[in-house]
Amino acid sequence: MNNYDIMCFLEYYADRTIVRDPITGKRSPTARWQNFYQSPQALSIDADITGNYPYLAFSADGFGSATAASINNFQVNAAAVAYMVDITEQAVGGTSLIIASLVIQDVGQDAIDPASAEVISRYIGSVESASIDDIAVDWTVNPAIDKKKGQVPSRKIASNLIGRFVGQ
Amino acid sequence: MKGTYSGVFQGSLGFHTPLKDSSNLTAAPQPKAAPARAAKKLDDSLLTGKKPSADIDKRQQLATPGETIPIVFGKRVDDIGGVWVQPSLVKAGTRLYVGSFLYAISQGKIISSPVKYRTWVGPQSLAFFADQTITLQHDYATAADLAAAPDTCPIGGGTLFCGVETYSYLSQLNKATAGNVYTYSYDPYSYYTTRNITRGLGDTSNTVMTLTANDVQAFNSDDGSDVTAAYWAYRGWISSTPLQLNQNPATLGGYTVGTIEEFGTLVPEPPGFLGIPSGARLVIQFTLAAVNTQNNPALPASTGTLYGVQQENIESPYSFLDGTYSQSGTTVTVTATAHGRIVGNTVYVEITSGNGVEGTYTVATVPNANSFTYTAGTSLTTSGNLYLSLTPGADNSAYADITFLRVEGNIYDPPSEGSYPTTTKQLFIYYEEGVEVDLYSGGLVSSVYPRGASNQLVDLAMYLFTIYKRADGANTSDIASPIYTDNLTSIADFADLYGFFYNGVLENAVNIIELLSSLAPYFFLSFLSVGGQYRFEPVLPLDGNVLDETALTPAAIFTEDEILPGSFSKSFYPIADRQDFIAVMLYREANPSSISIQRTIQVAYDTTALDAPVEQFDMTDFCTYDFHATSYAQFELAKRRLSTHSISFQTALIVTGLKPTDIIKIDRQRITSTGDNRAEVEWYQITSISYDAEGSSTIQAEHFPVTGADVSAITYSLLNDSFRIV
């Protein structure tokens, strides 16, 4: 088996309806990070985005695919630096979008190596819930679509839709 | 043996064995009831279902607050599909004895226009009702329409009113039989208009129903107190005051059959009227003393039979709705006493005489309490009578994004002699095309998704996410879409080719993920979460849009070198899931010419015994095509017969972009301590795949057998084996 360096590139979009730059058509995140190199890195193997990802100490877990009905959450655990706390408070609520890319490349490279780097999995979702303490912030990311509640049809017979059926 | 055991049980060897579970020996008590379930029970009830039941000769079901408004989704293509609906009645009204009925059909805008020959009331098509003037209309307003003008009433026609404060109704027939007791009531603090129609057979021109004030009693509905004396005083009666029904003041004889006698409008009484509190009603009860067939001795006696008179009433807290208009150019001046409208109100104007144009208008000016103006779209010089239907200032936003069916005409139960019912039988209506949705199945056209009705599961899925506010057509970026959209057109093409369509009524509040996960297999699809984004994928390999009958190429091959040592495990399915059985498929016939019924079809391998175990699959919610039901049965039978086990193993991080439903091949050596090693080669279909931070992946997969030529054995069996279809 080969040996790889494994890293995660994380993108945060405050509004899931505004993902792409209207001029370039490329993804334009509100904030972004990677968890491997101290110096900012460009995800040059992804032609759909430009710009650098600064370093942030975080772990990411839950890349994968399964049946839709199964629990398939993605967890992010990051240092509770001030701007992460601010972002966390904004992110919870379903309007945000998180795109996490799991990247591997040959071991021992000084920076992203376009020759060997490869996005092997991607997780797209919203921050459904979060917790913060003095040390870390934890995000639970998933499609933020409840799997238990009745959702559709969403219209109900309201009392003022109904006429009076009057006898005497 | 009766009774219950508890404590100990004496075993065969004389030991006393404590009983841990006495459930085999005692009956289970009634389970507890879940709290706050009334609305759910209503939605679940067959009595309020929106799909036609076997009993089509039943009374019309009435809507209840909290009831779920269904989604009618489907489209008839190549004589397959369309949807029958049995809607709830939300409003009924009457004007000049012509009934108006409003039914809640569907969330969203229905594409098909309603037609009489595809609308039934009870067991009869409206096209063949005695009343040939019956009309059908859809009323619909978008959420944006009503957000911009919430006082707009989307209900047209002028006889049904938004809100609950203004309403009209028919009373039962007041029979022309001496001694008959008749009761009616009204809110004395509302405007109250009433009229009578003469019901009977033949000549009734000299027949009058008579009584005196002594036969009339009045009550306060709030406490049941008798207010007769005060009521007589209010009316200026004494006990001997003669009263008549059906008397024609012009002839002093009787009205002829079908004549409508207008009594005008009562205006609201001052507070404290007869001691009746606000919200209560004045109840009048009278007993008919006699029927005189020659009320005017100077005229010949009536030769026909007077059945009685039937009352029509309209009540409203607002100034009355009849008025006059005068139009000069585009300015229309309306005169209606105490109309209550203010500038900016929306009014629906029904023109009853003159050449004015009916429609919805905005109040432009209010010169005084008895008149207002609006601007018409057509310049005219005309005048006449009109009718105003809107409750002023009401918030009608609850009507948003619902298609209502409005029926105007006499659809009451056919009367028996002397009886004029005020109830109707259940209405059923067939739609060739259901709600309008974004057609993801056709792909983007000029950067937008065309809109229309659809019978594609993928369009239903996206529509549900749209009304759940997680998708907005082409405005939603592909990467932010809840469902991966790139393969939706090819999946729709596959469904088109094999006739896997959705034509149904979504009538219960369901969870979108749960619904799509359970529906997808019936469409030969799997509904997946691939990296957090939902995705449809075919469960059988396709060659273009057709089931692949050629040799398969695995998406990946795993050998001993790729499988982490000790991680491989295999689990066989229980015998009950592998034995041959008879699949009973339920589906729903959708014949536009007759109300849909539920049907069954039995499918089994030719070699399966006739008395083999039976398993039933319910596709009645969406399937209207027997071929679809049969195809799924064959798939289920083949998969159960041929796929025997599942596996799980770990491997190094996958770099080949594998996803669930991909076909892989395992080629490994089974090495045992006894040395009977051997090679095992099997094909599998991935069901889940996960990656961990340590650099390994876990794959779970189901056995996916292939033939000697590496063709999918399930596909081969589905397409080539002999099945018994009954």
Side-chain angles (χ1 to χ4, degrees):
Chain A
M1 290 190 204
N2 297 325
N3 290 320
Y4 299 107
D5 283 338
I6 307 169
M7 62 203 78
C8 180
F9 284 68
L10 193 63
E11 299 160 28
Y12 165 71
Y13 301 79
D15 184 346
R16 64 181 298 121
T17 65
I18 307 172
V19 173
R20 295 186 183 280
D21 183 299
I23 298 170
T24 65
K26 294 182 184 298
R27 299 201 308 274
S28 177
T30 310
R32 58 175 114 182
W33 311 275
Q34 49 83 22
N35 65 356
F36 198 78
Y37 291 105
Q38 292 292 323
S39 58
Q41 300 290 314
L43 190 56
S44 52
I45 53 173
D46 185 347
D48 202 28
I49 191 167
T50 57
N52 285 336
Y53 292 68
Y55 177 76
L56 176 70
F58 70 89
S59 65
D61 186 38
F63 286 100
S65 302
T67 56
S70 60
I71 294 171
N72 190 208
N73 290 339
F74 182 74
Q75 304 286 340
V76 176
N77 175 268
V81 293
Y83 67 87
M84 282 303 291
V85 172
D86 293 343
I87 285 177
T88 301
E89 288 175 352
Q90 295 168 12
V92 180
T95 60
S96 66
L97 184 74
I98 300 293
I99 299 177
S101 303
L102 183 63
V103 176
I104 63 170
Q105 66 176 11
D106 291 347
V107 293
Q109 308 295 320
D110 293 332
I112 279 284
D113 171 30
S116 64
E118 189 169 358
V119 176
I120 61 162
S121 184
R122 178 163 278 165
Y123 195 100
I124 303 168
S126 295
V127 180
E128 187 195 48
S129 62
S131 62
I132 302 174
D133 60 27
D134 289 345
I135 299 168
V137 297
D138 286 292
W139 292 350
T140 297
V141 180
N142 59 32
I145 296 170
D146 183 273
K147 293 178 181 173
K148 293 178 182 173
K149 292 178 183 170
Q151 296 156 333
V152 289
S154 55
R155 303 313 311 274
K156 304 286 184 185
I157 297 284
S159 54
N160 66 342
L161 292 186
I162 297 182
R164 291 190 186 183
F165 297 96
V166 178
Q168 46 195 305
Chain B
M1 188 182 295
K2 292 183 177 178
T4 60
Y5 290 88
S6 63
V8 295
F9 181 79
Q10 188 168 5
S12 59
L13 297 178
F15 297 112
H16 285 89
T17 308
L19 282 177
K20 291 181 179 175
D21 179 3
S22 62
S23 58
N24 290 334
L25 303 175
T26 63
Q30 180 177 322
K32 65 182 179 184
R37 292 293 183 94
K40 183 178 185 306
K41 282 196 283 189
L42 186 70
D43 278 353
D44 290 343
S45 169
L46 288 175
L47 297 175
T48 57
K50 305 302 182 296
K51 294 189 283 280
S53 54
D55 178 13
I56 60 173
D57 194 17
K58 62 179 182 180
R59 278 188 68 166
Q60 173 66 47
Q61 65 194 31
L62 303 181
T64 306
E67 182 179 314
T68 300
I69 295 173
I71 292 173
V72 177
F73 186 94
K75 182 179 182 183
R76 188 170 182 82
V77 176
D78 295 335
D79 294 334
I80 300 167
V83 186
W84 276 98
V85 191
Q86 60 169 29
S88 295
L89 179 68
V90 292
K91 287 179 187 287
T94 175
R95 183 155 190 256
L96 298 174
Y97 297 89
V98 177
S100 297
F101 306 88
L102 193 72
Y103 305 84
I105 299 294
S106 176
Q107 177 169 358
K109 183 180 183 182
I110 295 279
I111 297 282
S112 287
S113 296
V115 289
K116 285 200 286 187
Y117 59 91
R118 287 180 175 169
T119 306
W120 294 48
V121 172
Q124 191 177 4
S125 166
L126 282 187
F128 309 116
F129 263 56
D131 182 357
Q132 287 290 303
T133 67
I134 293 170
T135 60
L136 306 176
Q137 293 285 332
H138 275 165
D139 290 318
Y140 175 80
T142 65
D145 291 340
L146 287 172
D151 68 341
T152 302
C153 180
I155 308 305
T159 53
L160 295 170
F161 310 93
C162 284
V164 297
E165 296 170 303
T166 303
Y167 52 97
S168 59
Y169 56 96
L170 279 184
S171 298
Q172 290 287 338
L173 184 71
N174 177 24
K175 291 181 180 175
T177 304
N180 184 54
V181 178
Y182 181 64
T183 306
Y184 70 97
S185 70
Y186 69 95
D187 176 359
Y189 306 117
S190 284
Y191 293 86
Y192 177 63
T193 289
T194 185
R195 52 180 67 99
N196 275 348
I197 189 170
T198 302
R199 303 289 196 188
L201 185 66
D203 170 40
T204 60
S205 63
N206 207 5
T207 304
V208 173
M209 301 153 70
T210 63
L211 63 162
T212 65
N214 202 38
D215 299 315
V216 179
Q217 288 181 288
F219 301 92
N220 174 354
S221 75
D222 184 54
D223 58 6
S225 59
D226 189 329
V227 294
T228 302
Y231 182 68
W232 284 8
Y234 162 74
R235 300 298 299 265
W237 295 346
I238 58 172
S239 63
S240 60
T241 300
L243 305 170
Q244 296 87 25
L245 287 171
N246 202 49
Q247 186 187 52
N248 182 345
T251 65
L252 299 181
Y255 284 113
T256 54
V257 173
T259 304
I260 295 173
E261 181 183 13
E262 298 283 354
F263 294 109
T265 300
L266 297 178
V267 299
E269 300 291 349
F273 174 69
L274 303 185
I276 297 172
S278 174
R281 296 173 75 82
L282 174 62
V283 180
I284 310 292
Q285 191 173 73
F286 62 85
T287 306
L288 189 64
V291 178
N292 186 348
T293 58
Q294 193 172 14
N295 193 58
N296 183 348
L299 298 174
S302 298
T303 56
T305 303
L306 176 68
Y307 295 156
V309 292
Q310 189 173 23
Q311 204 172 42
E312 181 184 81
N313 310 285
I314 305 174
E315 291 190 50
S316 173
Y318 301 103
S319 63
F320 221 74
L321 308 163
D322 287 307
T324 61
Y325 72 98
S326 171
Q327 181 170 353
S328 176
T330 58
T331 300
V332 181
T333 302
V334 175
T335 302
T337 304
H339 56 72
R341 273 66 180 176
I342 61 172
V343 172
N345 275 168
T346 305
V347 289
Y348 183 83
V349 173
E350 183 185 4
I351 302 294
T352 54
S353 67
N355 296 319
V357 179
E358 290 185 3
T360 302
Y361 299 100
T362 302
V363 174
T365 65
V366 182
N368 56 59
N370 298 326
S371 70
F372 65 87
T373 68
Y374 65 84
T375 303
T378 307
S379 179
L380 289 171
T381 299
T382 184
S383 62
N385 297 321
L386 53 62
Y387 196 71
L388 305 172
S389 70
L390 190 74
T391 300
D395 185 338
N396 298 318
S397 49
Y399 290 78
D401 197 31
I402 300 168
T403 298
F404 295 94
L405 171 69
R406 177 163 41 90
V407 178
E408 296 185 348
N410 185 2
I411 61 168
Y412 295 113
D413 294 344
S416 55
E417 187 174 336
S419 161
Y420 286 85
T422 55
T423 58
T424 75
K425 290 190 173 164
Q426 176 65 48
L427 180 135
F428 307 91
I429 185 165
Y430 172 82
Y431 289 106
E432 269 196 7
E433 300 192 37
V435 289
E436 182 181 57
V437 299
D438 287 324
L439 299 175
Y440 286 78
S441 56
L444 288 166
V445 177
S446 302
S447 300
V448 297
Y449 291 107
R451 288 179 64 77
S454 173
N455 55 10
Q456 291 287 346
L457 179 68
V458 296
D459 289 327
L460 173 68
M462 292 308 297
Y463 176 63
L464 298 181
F465 281 114
T466 300
I467 60 180
Y468 193 58
K469 301 300 181 194
R470 296 307 298 265
D472 183 22
N475 295 326
T476 301
S477 170
D478 53 353
I479 205 161
S481 173
I483 293 182
Y484 176 74
T485 53
D486 282 4
N487 66 350
L488 296 186
T489 53
S490 60
I491 286 174
D493 290 344
F494 165 64
D496 262 340
L497 193 64
Y498 289 94
F500 300 155
F501 300 128
Y502 189 108
N503 287 280
V505 182
L506 190 56
E507 57 184 325
N508 289 341
V510 294
N511 180 275
I512 300 174
I513 307 305
E514 206 172 88
L515 175 76
L516 297 178
S517 297
S518 60
L519 285 181
Y522 289 115
F523 293 78
F524 285 54
L525 300 173
S526 182
F527 189 53
L528 308 170
S529 172
V530 178
Q533 192 174 39
Y534 294 118
R535 181 171 180 142
F536 286 107
E537 286 292 336
V539 293
L540 289 176
L542 301 184
D543 181 8
N545 298 327
V546 300
L547 293 171
D548 192 351
E549 291 186 89
T550 65
L552 300 177
T553 303
I557 299 174
F558 293 88
T559 67
E560 293 294 336
D561 290 341
E562 283 82 32
I563 297 172
L564 296 182
S567 68
F568 188 91
S569 68
K570 181 188 281 190
S571 299
F572 286 89
Y573 302 139
I575 187 66
D577 289 344
R578 294 172 56 185
Q579 64 183 350
D580 278 350
F581 66 100
I582 298 169
V584 177
M585 313 304 293
L586 301 180
Y587 69 103
R588 185 168 286 276
E589 189 180 80
N591 180 352
S593 302
S594 59
I595 297 170
S596 72
I597 55 170
Q598 195 164 301
R599 300 188 72 96
T600 64
I601 192 164
Q602 292 190 15
V603 186
Y605 276 108
D606 255 356
T607 52
T608 302
L610 289 177
D611 57 356
V614 168
E615 291 193 26
Q616 187 160 283
F617 296 86
D618 187 350
M619 299 172 73
T620 54
D621 281 349
F622 55 88
C623 177
T624 60
Y625 186 26
D626 55 353
F627 180 79
H628 182 180
T630 305
S631 297
Y632 182 72
Q634 291 170 328
F635 167 70
E636 188 71 29
L637 291 165
K639 190 160 187 271
R640 295 272 199 100
R641 172 178 273 193
L642 299 168
S643 180
T644 60
H645 62 277
S646 62
I647 60 165
S648 174
F649 64 93
Q650 287 183 301
T651 183
L653 277 172
I654 304 298
V655 294
T656 49
L658 290 178
K659 64 180 184 309
T661 68
D662 281 347
I663 306 298
I664 58 173
K665 189 175 176 182
I666 303 290
D667 187 349
R668 63 188 288 268
Q669 284 290 316
R670 184 168 167 274
I671 299 171
T672 68
S673 59
T674 57
D676 58 344
N677 303 342
R678 64 181 183 186
E680 285 186 347
V681 179
E682 286 283 11
W683 295 59
Y684 294 92
Q685 185 169 39
I686 296 176
T687 54
S688 76
I689 183 166
S690 61
Y691 308 91
D692 66 29
E694 282 70 46
S696 67
S697 304
T698 301
I699 292 178
Q700 293 180 314
E702 290 183 352
H703 180 213
F704 193 79
V706 295
T707 65
D710 288 348
V711 172
S712 162
I714 295 173
T715 303
Y716 182 87
S717 176
L718 174 66
L719 298 176
N720 297 288
D721 281 344
S722 294
F723 291 89
R724 186 175 63 244
I725 301 170
V726 181

